[in-house]
């Protein structure tokens, strides 16, 4: 998490760096995702539209020239959703302006390539701290430079204790469809597209702007305790009953210890009066501290957890703004340093997976994972448990009921054996989820088998058919889409 001071200083630099012109390039370019760096893809060129009209003109030209388009935001997806081999890549990040802030209703209209730090910086400047201010309700944890369009496309979530996925925060968006037509989509206008585009991974068109519902900006106090996973749901319920609004549980990764996936740091946040001071010298981890913790997670699991727990406990009682506490530090390319320090024979990165299970099944699921990870020596770098409420709006919901969401960030060696190990671990996790009516989150990889996809997403084939209905010439494609089109070819 970063301090407000650092945040404001950083965002000025970011705003200055964020304007570049429409640059179609002709040579083949190699692009990759940020975290796993396992989606190296050749694209024909990259276009960086500056306006809705630029986007429309790119789509119309692509249609005329029979070109195929892929769409990228902050490049955090790890299943190849944002890149398509030999496509024209639209980098949406220059569409990053605030269009309007409705201070009466708390709705902000922004261009869809804006990332969280700029969004927060801009609305803070616009509200200038007078009277009741508005802030974001939720964002992803663990990384900040994600776009609003990418957040819609994955139908992402944060660490709210009683929140639904991001679709519930969006009033409407503008989508440029496969014909280059701009369509407003909301719960009452083009509602089918509204449902499909949330969690639709860029297959229905290019989102250029959106109206995002904000929440009253508050101050929150962090309360930290170390507890066991055995009655974690009871712990969450108690916190919710006591008015806490955010929280998560980060469990021990020490395979050899009793604590493994059992003991964890339970941090929750409750509102406090708005005049509660935030001392300038509050403790926070620096970029270097994070790198050190990540290094320890690779070399000394016991120390990694105890240092993390010690730090979090020392911040018990600290007060934060409800939006800024959701920002995180992500040390870019941190794995390269680790590889060097440990003299790794192959490069490696982490791959994340998120498995969602019915809340009552959480304990049994964690017990099963613990046994499996020990037996198969699965290299877990960190993991958390959060909560999500049921998504009753998107077409392809991952939150099919109120779930406990478990995150596993696995060390993945970039060798044939390393890939196979992660693939097998992810598939075993999905099987465990499917056995208890859980789901896995589509954004992180495409290792699931057809049976697994169908068991977690029974409407997946219909989703692909609707893609063809709205985009019959398949103008918008990604390697993720091509993978599933091939997998479901007999149903299309
Ligand atoms: C370290 C890390 C932490 C994360 N934490 C969380 C978390 O806490 N909660 C959570 O829910 N997720 C989390 N994620 C996943 C993340 O929310 C998704 O991968 C998200 O889609 C990434 O957004 P992005 O801007 O990076 O988009 P990209 O990765 O560039 O693209 C993702 C998808 O969005 C589509 N897209 C991008 N722009 C547009 C557009 N203008 N119109 C239509 N489609 C578009 C792309 O085609 C692609 O399908 C995390 C990922 C990482 C790597």
């Amino acid at each position: 998490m970063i301090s407000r001071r650092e945040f404001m200083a950083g965002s000025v630099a970011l705003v200055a760096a964020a304007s570049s012109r429409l640059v179609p390039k002709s040579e083949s370019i190699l692009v990759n995702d940020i975290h796993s760096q396992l989606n190296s893809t050749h694209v024909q060129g990259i276009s960086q539209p500056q306006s809705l009209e630029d986007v429309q003109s790119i789509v119309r030209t692509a249609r005329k020239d029979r070109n195929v388009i892929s769409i990228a935001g902050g490049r955090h997806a790890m299943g190849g959703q944002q890149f398509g081999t030999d496509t024209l890549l639209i980098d949406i990040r220059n569409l990053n302006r605030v269009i309007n802030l409705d201070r009466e209703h708390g709705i902000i209209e922004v261009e869809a390539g804006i990332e969280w730090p700029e969004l927060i910086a801009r609305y803070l400047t616009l509200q200038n701290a007078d009277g009741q201010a508005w802030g974001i309700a939720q964002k992803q944890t663990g990384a900040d430079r994600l776009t609003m369009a990418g957040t819609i496309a994955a139908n992402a979530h944060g660490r709210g204790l009683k929140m639904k996925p991001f679709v519930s925060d969006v009033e409407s968006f503008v989508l440029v469809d496969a014909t280059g037509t701009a369509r407003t989509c909301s719960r009452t206008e083009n509602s089918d597209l509204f449902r499909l585009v949330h969690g639709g991974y860029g297959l229905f068109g290019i989102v250029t702007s959106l109206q995002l519902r904000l929440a009253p900006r508050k101050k929150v106090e962090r309360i930290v305790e170390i507890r066991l996973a055995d009655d974690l749901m009871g712990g969450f319920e108690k916190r919710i009953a006591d008015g806490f609004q955010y929280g998560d549980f980060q469990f021990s990764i020490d395979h050899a210890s009793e604590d493994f996936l059992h003991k964890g740091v339970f941090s929750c946040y409750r509102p406090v009066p708005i005049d509660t001071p935030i001392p300038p010298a509050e403790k926070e981890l620096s970029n270097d501290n994070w790198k050190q913790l990540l290094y320890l997670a690779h070399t000394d699991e016991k120390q990694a957890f105890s240092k993390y727990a010690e730090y979090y406990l020392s911040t018990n009682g600290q007060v934060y703004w409800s939006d800024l506490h959701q920002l995180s530090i992500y040390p870019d390319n941190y794995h390269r340093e680790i590889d060097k320090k440990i003299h790794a024979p192959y490069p490696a990165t982490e791959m994340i997976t998120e498995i969602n299970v019915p809340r009552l099944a959480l304990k049994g699921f964690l017990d099963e994972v613990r046994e499996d990870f020990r037996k198969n020596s699965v290299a877990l770098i960190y993991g958390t448990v959060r909560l999500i409420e049921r998504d009753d709006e998107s077409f392809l919901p991952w939150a099919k009921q109120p779930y406990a969401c478990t995150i596993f960030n696995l060390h993945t060696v970039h060798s044939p054996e390393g890939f196979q190990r992660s693939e097998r671990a992810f598939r075993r996790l999905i099987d465990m989820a499917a056995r208890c009516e859980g789901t896995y989150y589509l954004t992180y990889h495409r290792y699931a088998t057809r049976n697994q996809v169908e068991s977690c997403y029974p409407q997946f084939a219909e989703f692909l058919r609707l893609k063809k209905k709205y985009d019959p010439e398949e103008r918008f494609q990604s390697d993720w889409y091509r993978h599933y089109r091939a997998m479901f070819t007999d149903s299309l």
Side-chain angles (χ1 to χ4, degrees):
M1 195 180 304
I2 58 178
S3 69
R4 184 163 189 275
R5 191 170 7 97
E6 285 169 342
F7 164 68
M8 296 304 284
S11 38
V12 172
L14 294 169
V15 169
S19 54
S20 112
R21 298 182 59 77
L22 181 67
V23 196
K25 299 193 176 89
S26 53
E27 72 275 27
S28 169
I29 297 167
L30 203 55
V31 288
N32 209 342
D33 80 272
I34 299 279
H35 187 64
S36 75
Q37 303 183 1
L38 286 171
N39 289 284
S40 174
T41 310
H42 277 284
V43 293
Q44 269 181 36
I46 303 179
S47 278
Q48 299 172 308
Q50 310 268 338
S51 64
L52 168 66
E53 292 73 28
D54 282 353
V55 173
Q56 291 181 289
S57 138
I58 291 169
V59 174
R60 286 180 184 138
T61 308
R63 193 172 180 217
K64 186 164 66 61
D65 298 345
R66 295 172 190 272
N67 249 334
V68 175
I69 289 172
S70 56
I71 320 159
R75 307 185 184 189
H76 289 79
M78 282 181 268
Q81 290 93 336
Q82 68 280 61
F83 309 127
T85 305
D86 293 332
T87 59
L88 171 66
L89 180 67
I90 310 296
D91 179 340
I92 202 71
R93 289 174 293 182
N94 281 353
L95 281 181
N96 63 358
R97 283 162 287 231
V98 170
I99 300 167
N100 182 44
L101 172 62
D102 173 348
R103 289 200 66 182
E104 194 185 338
H105 300 103
I107 294 179
I108 191 163
E109 188 174 355
V110 291
E111 290 182 327
I114 197 167
E115 296 173 345
W116 293 108
E118 285 98 358
L119 172 69
I120 297 174
R122 308 267 174 92
Y123 71 58
L124 287 179
T125 310
L126 284 170
Q127 298 181 99
N128 208 10
D130 57 328
Q132 169 63 61
W134 299 95
I136 54 166
Q138 62 173 330
K139 66 170 280 297
Q140 298 90 334
T141 60
D144 292 342
R145 306 217 56 80
L146 308 104
T147 59
M148 293 311 109
T151 305
I152 286 181
N155 197 15
H157 70 125
R159 58 170 169 241
L161 292 174
K162 285 182 69 178
M163 292 185 191
K164 296 178 175 190
F166 194 61
V167 57
S168 68
D169 297 354
V170 176
E171 290 290 317
S172 67
F173 56 78
V174 173
L175 180 81
V176 172
D177 72 10
T179 65
T181 308
R183 293 183 192 283
T184 299
C185 305
S186 69
R187 289 172 182 82
T188 51
E189 201 176 347
N190 294 309
S191 56
D192 284 358
L193 280 168
F194 186 81
R195 297 180 64 225
L196 282 162
V197 170
H198 282 99
Y201 292 100
L203 298 184
F204 298 88
I206 305 178
V207 176
T208 57
S209 63
L210 65 146
Q211 291 194 322
L212 176 67
R213 193 181 317 124
L214 301 173
R217 191 165 189 251
K218 296 179 185 156
K219 284 186 182 159
V220 291
E221 180 184 15
R222 179 192 277 170
I223 299 296
V224 186
E225 63 173 330
I226 304 295
R227 63 174 298 142
L228 300 180
D230 291 345
D231 183 31
L232 185 57
M233 282 319 307
F236 272 124
E237 276 158 25
K238 167 97 179 53
R239 289 291 189 232
I240 291 169
D242 290 344
F244 285 73
Q245 294 188 342
Y246 298 93
D248 59 20
F249 176 77
Q250 179 138 355
F251 42 72
S252 160
I253 57 163
D254 182 7
H255 288 65
S257 136
E258 277 293 291
D259 300 341
F260 183 50
L261 287 173
H262 193 215
K263 192 188 255 188
V265 179
F266 188 43
S267 312
C268 293
Y269 301 78
R270 66 176 163 208
V272 289
I274 201 78
D275 55 1
T276 310
I278 300 183
E282 279 197 329
K283 279 192 192 156
E284 56 192 341
L285 289 173
S286 66
N287 201 50
D288 282 348
N289 297 146
W290 272 116
K291 284 205 240 175
Q292 204 188 353
L293 278 175
L294 284 162
Y295 174 69
L296 278 178
H298 287 79
T299 54
D300 187 340
E301 296 169 345
K302 195 176 190 63
Q303 274 273 338
F305 180 70
S306 73
K307 287 251 178 239
Y308 179 84
E310 187 191 327
Y311 163 73
Y312 257 79
L313 282 169
S314 77
T315 64
N316 182 48
Q318 287 197 168
V319 176
Y320 305 91
W321 283 105
S322 53
D323 47 7
L324 298 186
H325 94 274
Q326 300 185 60
L327 292 168
S328 340
I329 286 180
Y330 182 89
D332 281 335
N333 296 316
Y334 66 88
H335 221 291
R336 291 189 194 159
E337 256 174 63
I338 296 175
D339 291 347
K340 209 161 146 194
K341 275 193 189 161
I342 62 175
H343 306 292
Y346 292 98
T349 50
E350 267 69 72
M351 286 188 78
I352 309 176
T353 203
E354 178 165 343
I355 303 288
N356 311 295
V357 294
R359 295 176 182 181
L360 291 177
L362 178 68
K363 181 183 170 331
F365 170 72
L366 287 178
D367 288 345
E368 208 180 340
V369 178
R370 187 178 308 117
E371 200 183 317
D372 178 279
F373 278 16
R374 280 194 177 130
K375 185 170 141 210
N376 295 291
S377 305
V378 174
L380 175 63
I381 299 304
Y382 66 74
T384 54
V385 181
R386 291 180 278 172
L387 299 184
I388 195 73
E389 291 296 332
R390 184 168 87 88
D391 167 10
D392 46 12
E393 296 200 275
S394 73
F395 183 83
L396 204 56
W398 56 266
K400 293 196 287 192
Q401 50 172 293
Y403 278 135
C405 313
T406 58
I407 316 292
F408 304 97
N409 204 5
L410 301 191
H411 178 74
T412 303
V413 178
H414 295 196
S415 68
E417 201 213 329
F419 298 141
Q420 203 177 59
R421 285 180 72 79
S422 288
E423 173 176 338
R424 286 183 177 159
F426 289 149
R427 284 186 176 168
R428 290 194 306 273
L429 284 168
I430 298 172
D431 278 341
M432 292 177 216
R435 280 198 289 275
C436 62
E437 293 181 30
T439 60
Y440 69 98
Y441 191 15
L442 288 162
T443 200
Y444 290 128
H445 58 79
R446 50 174 198 252
Y447 286 142
T449 62
R450 178 161 174 173
N451 275 345
Q452 291 181 323
V453 178
E454 285 181 318
S455 114
C456 296
Y457 297 95
Q459 62 287 67
F460 204 89
E462 180 60 11
F463 170 76
L464 295 177
R465 286 193 287 270
L466 287 167
K467 190 274 186 294
K468 286 283 282 276
K469 174 183 158 195
Y470 283 102
D471 178 15
E473 293 173 352
E474 297 178 291
R475 187 73 45 227
F476 305 108
Q477 294 189 30
S478 62
D479 287 348
W480 184 83
Y481 170 63
R482 291 167 176 169
H483 171 82
Y484 286 112
R485 184 181 58 184
M487 182 183 267
F488 282 86
T489 187
D490 60 333
S491 310
L492 302 180

